[in-house]
Amino acid sequence: MLAFIARRLVTSVLIFFSATFVVYIMAANLGDPLADLRELPPQDRAAAIADRTERMNLDKPVVARYFLWLGGALTGDLGTNRVGQDVNIMLERALGATLQLVIAATVLSIVIGVGIGVISALRQYSALDLGVTFGVFVCFSLPVFWVATLLKQYGAIEFNDWLADPSLAWWVIGLVALFMGMVFSSLLVTDRRTRLMAFGVASGVTAVLLAVLSATGWFADPGLGPIVIGLTAGAAAVGFATLFSGLEWNPTMKAAVICAALGLVSHFALLPFLDDPTWWFMGMLALLTVVICWAVGRFVGGELYRRSAVPVAILTGVFTAGVIFVDRMLQSFAAFSESVRGRPISTIGASTPNYSGTFWQHGLDSFGSLILPTMTLLLISLASYTRYSRASMLEVMNQDYVRTARAKGLPERTVILRHAFRNGLIPITTLVAYDIGTVLGGAVVTEAVFGWRAMGDLLITGINERDPNPVMAFFLVAGAAIVIFNMIADIVYAYLDPRIRLS
C-alpha cells in the first residue's frame, strides 16, 4: 500500500504540474487584458497601461510568466489580480463560501441517495422502486437555473409571504397525508390488507398532526419540546441498535437507550447555558458527547458486544444532540423572523449584511441563506447516487457469496449490511471521490442565481477580466482536490474488498 501511494503521488504531481502549465497558457491567451484601459482618456491611458503591464508581467513571454507564477505559488504567494487585489485573500473568501455551500448538499446527496438506492434495490419493481426511479430521473432532467429560480419564487418569496399567516388549507393537508400514506405503505413487503392498513394509519396520523400544527400556529413559533425530543431519541436508539445488532434487548440496545436517556437529561441540565453560547462551547459539548457515548458503549457492551455497542452509542448520542440543537434553534425562529422583517428565507447572498443577533439567530440566518442553494444541488445530484447504488446493489445481490450467506442461515440484516452493501460501495466510492473533488471548484450556475461570491464566481470573474491569477487559484483547489480524492478512492477500494490488489 505504501509503495502504491508513493507511485500515485509521484504520478499525480507530474500530471498536476503539467495541467497547471496548460491551464495557465490557456488563461493567458483569453484576450487582451489591457482592452478596458485603451478606452481611457489619453492623459491617463499610458500610466494605467504601464502599471497593469508591470503588475501582470505582460512585457514577458507567456512561458516566463508561468514560471514566475509557479515560483510564487510554491511559496504560497498566488500574486495579485489585474487591479492589485491579493489573490490569496480572494481564494480564502471564495473557498470558505464554497465549502459552506456544497458540503451540506454533497453529504446529504450521498447519504440520502445511497440510502434510497439500497432500499429501492431491495424492493425491486415494487411501487416504491418505480416511484423512486421516476422521481430521480425527473430531478436529474431539470435544468439547474430553472430549479433555482422556482425555489427562489416559491421557496423564498411565496413562503415568506405565507409565514405572515401560516395556516394550511385542507387540500394541502390532504395531499401531504396521501403522499405520506403511499410512502409508508410502499415500504412494506407484505399482503395488500396490511399495506392498506399502513396507508390509512400513516395518512390519518399525518393529517391530524398537520391540522393541529396549523391550528396552534406552530409554523410561526416552532419548537419540538421534551416529549418530541424523547420520542425521537428513543426511536433513533432502537433504529441504530436494530441496524447493527438486530431488534432484541441486548447490550447494544441498552447502550443506545442509555445514551438517548442521557441526551434527554442534558436537554434540561444545559438550558441555562444555551441562551447565547459560542461555537467553541458547542464544539466542546459535541466532543464531550462523543467521549461519554464511547465510554457507555465500551462499558455496557462488554467484550462480546463492544464492537457494535460503541458505534451505536455514539450515533445515538450525536443524533440526540442534533435534535436538541434543532429544537433550541427553532425556539429562536420567531425572534429571528421579526428581526429580518418577516423574510427568514434569503434569496441572495450567504448572510444578511450587517446582521446582529444571538448565536441561534445567526445560525438561522446562515440556514435561511443556505437552504435554497442546498436544495437545488441536492435535487440535481441525488439521481446519480440513487441509480448507481441501486444498480450496484442489484448486481451484488445476485453474487454467489450472497446466496451462500443466506444458505448458511445468516439474518437478512447481516447479509445486506456486511456482505452485499460493503462490496456494493465500490462503484459508489469512485463517484463520491470524483464529486467531492469537483464540487470544491464551486457550483457556477447555482452561485450565480443565488448571488454567492464563491469559487465559481472567482473563475468566471477571472475569465471575463482575462486575468490568469484568479483562474489559476481556482484550478489549484479544483485540480488538487480531484487528484487527492481519486487517490483516496483507490485506497478505499482495498479496504472495502481485500481481494483488490493495488500492486
Side-chain angles (χ1 to χ4, degrees):
M1 179 64 73
L2 291 177
F4 167 78
I5 294 175
R7 288 198 304 270
R8 282 298 303 270
L9 279 175
V10 173
T11 305
S12 299
V13 169
L14 293 176
I15 293 175
F16 182 69
F17 279 113
S18 300
T20 59
F21 177 78
V22 173
V23 172
Y24 190 93
I25 298 300
M26 295 172 61
N29 288 279
L30 287 171
D32 183 11
L34 302 175
D36 59 318
L37 300 182
R38 301 187 194 282
E39 301 177 1
L40 293 176
Q43 62 270 20
D44 301 327
R45 184 185 310 156
I49 290 177
D51 179 67
R52 183 173 295 179
T53 299
E54 180 182 1
R55 183 181 298 115
M56 298 180 65
N57 296 312
L58 298 178
D59 55 339
K60 297 180 176 60
V62 175
V63 175
R65 285 153 52 191
Y66 165 75
F67 283 105
L68 287 174
W69 171 86
L70 180 62
L74 291 175
T75 61
D77 181 14
L78 299 180
T80 60
N81 67 352
R82 67 175 192 171
V83 296
Q85 295 177 324
D86 192 336
V87 176
N88 287 70
I89 297 177
M90 296 171 60
L91 178 61
E92 181 180 353
R93 294 173 180 172
L95 183 59
T98 289
L99 291 177
Q100 185 181 358
L101 175 62
V102 303
I103 282 180
T106 304
V107 172
L108 288 174
S109 298
I110 295 171
V111 174
I112 297 175
V114 172
I116 292 177
V118 171
I119 295 174
S120 180
L122 298 178
R123 304 288 190 270
Q124 187 181 17
Y125 301 133
S126 65
L128 174 67
D129 183 30
L130 297 177
V132 166
T133 301
F134 175 77
V136 296
F137 271 117
V138 168
C139 293
F140 185 73
S141 303
L142 298 177
V144 178
F145 67 90
W146 187 72
V147 174
T149 304
L150 285 182
L151 287 175
K152 287 179 68 173
Q153 177 63 35
Y154 296 102
I157 299 174
E158 299 290 340
F159 181 75
N160 287 334
D161 293 339
W162 174 77
L163 283 177
D165 183 20
S167 59
L168 296 175
W170 64 268
W171 61 270
V172 175
I173 296 176
L175 288 178
V176 176
L178 288 175
F179 175 76
M180 295 303 297
M182 288 188 293
V183 169
F184 276 93
S185 63
S186 63
L187 289 173
L188 299 178
V189 182
T190 182
D191 58 276
R192 181 177 298 178
R193 181 180 178 182
T194 305
R195 292 174 62 186
L196 288 174
M197 290 178 58
F199 173 83
V201 172
S203 299
V205 171
T206 303
V208 171
L209 179 61
L210 290 178
V212 171
L213 294 178
S214 178
T216 57
W218 183 87
F219 296 101
D221 189 11
L224 300 179
I227 296 178
V228 176
I229 293 175
L231 292 175
T232 307
V238 174
F240 288 131
T242 302
L243 189 64
F244 278 77
S245 63
L247 184 58
E248 57 183 19
W249 186 250
N250 53 30
T252 300
M253 184 71 75
K254 293 178 183 178
V257 172
I258 290 173
C259 289
L262 290 175
L264 185 59
V265 171
S266 67
H267 168 69
F268 296 99
L270 294 174
L271 280 178
F273 304 98
L274 296 180
D275 289 336
D276 191 11
T278 62
W279 280 111
W280 285 105
F281 180 74
M282 300 302 293
M284 290 176 59
L285 285 182
L287 180 61
L288 185 62
T289 299
V290 173
V291 172
I292 292 176
C293 293
W294 174 82
V296 170
R298 285 186 61 87
F299 178 76
V300 177
E303 292 294 335
L304 184 60
Y305 287 89
R306 182 176 298 170
R307 191 172 181 180
S308 60
V310 170
V312 167
I314 293 176
L315 287 173
T316 303
V318 171
F319 182 85
T320 305
V323 173
I324 296 172
F325 183 89
V326 171
D327 172 66
R328 190 61 188 82
M329 187 170 288
L330 287 176
Q331 293 178 27
S332 302
F333 179 80
F336 167 72
S337 181
E338 183 179 356
S339 67
V340 292
R341 299 179 181 179
R343 318 303 292 181
I345 306 300
S346 175
T347 58
I348 295 294
S351 60
T352 303
N354 303 318
Y355 181 77
S356 60
T358 65
F359 171 86
W360 305 108
Q361 291 172 346
H362 275 286
L364 287 170
D365 182 50
S366 298
F367 178 79
S369 301
L370 274 172
I371 183 171
L372 295 185
T374 298
M375 288 178 62
T376 302
L377 297 175
L378 175 62
L379 289 173
I380 300 302
S381 59
L382 191 65
S384 299
Y385 291 108
T386 301
R387 300 307 296 170
Y388 268 93
S389 56
R390 179 184 182 274
S392 180
M393 282 296 294
L394 287 176
E395 181 180 359
V396 170
M397 294 295 289
N398 293 321
Q399 297 296 321
D400 291 339
Y401 62 85
V402 175
R403 288 194 291 267
T404 302
R406 284 174 170 158
K408 288 165 61 178
L410 292 177
E412 186 68 11
R413 175 187 54 79
T414 303
V415 174
I416 298 299
L417 293 179
R418 295 187 181 180
H419 295 272
F421 182 63
R422 181 169 177 173
N423 287 326
L425 282 176
I426 293 177
I428 309 300
T429 302
T430 305
L431 182 64
V432 170
Y434 176 77
D435 277 2
I436 293 177
T438 53
V439 296
L440 291 180
V444 178
V445 176
T446 305
E447 291 175 14
V449 174
F450 290 102
W452 280 66
R453 300 186 63 84
M455 293 292 290
D457 180 74
L458 181 69
L459 173 65
I460 296 301
T461 302
I463 292 175
N464 290 335
E465 295 181 350
R466 299 170 291 278
D467 193 348
N469 284 358
V471 175
M472 294 307 298
F474 168 89
F475 181 77
L476 280 179
V477 174
I482 291 175
V483 170
I484 292 172
F485 279 99
N486 274 278
M487 186 172 66
I488 292 174
D490 289 337
I491 298 172
V492 174
Y493 293 154
Y495 169 76
L496 293 174
D497 189 351
R499 295 174 300 174
I500 295 178
R501 294 292 177 262
L502 301 177
S503 60

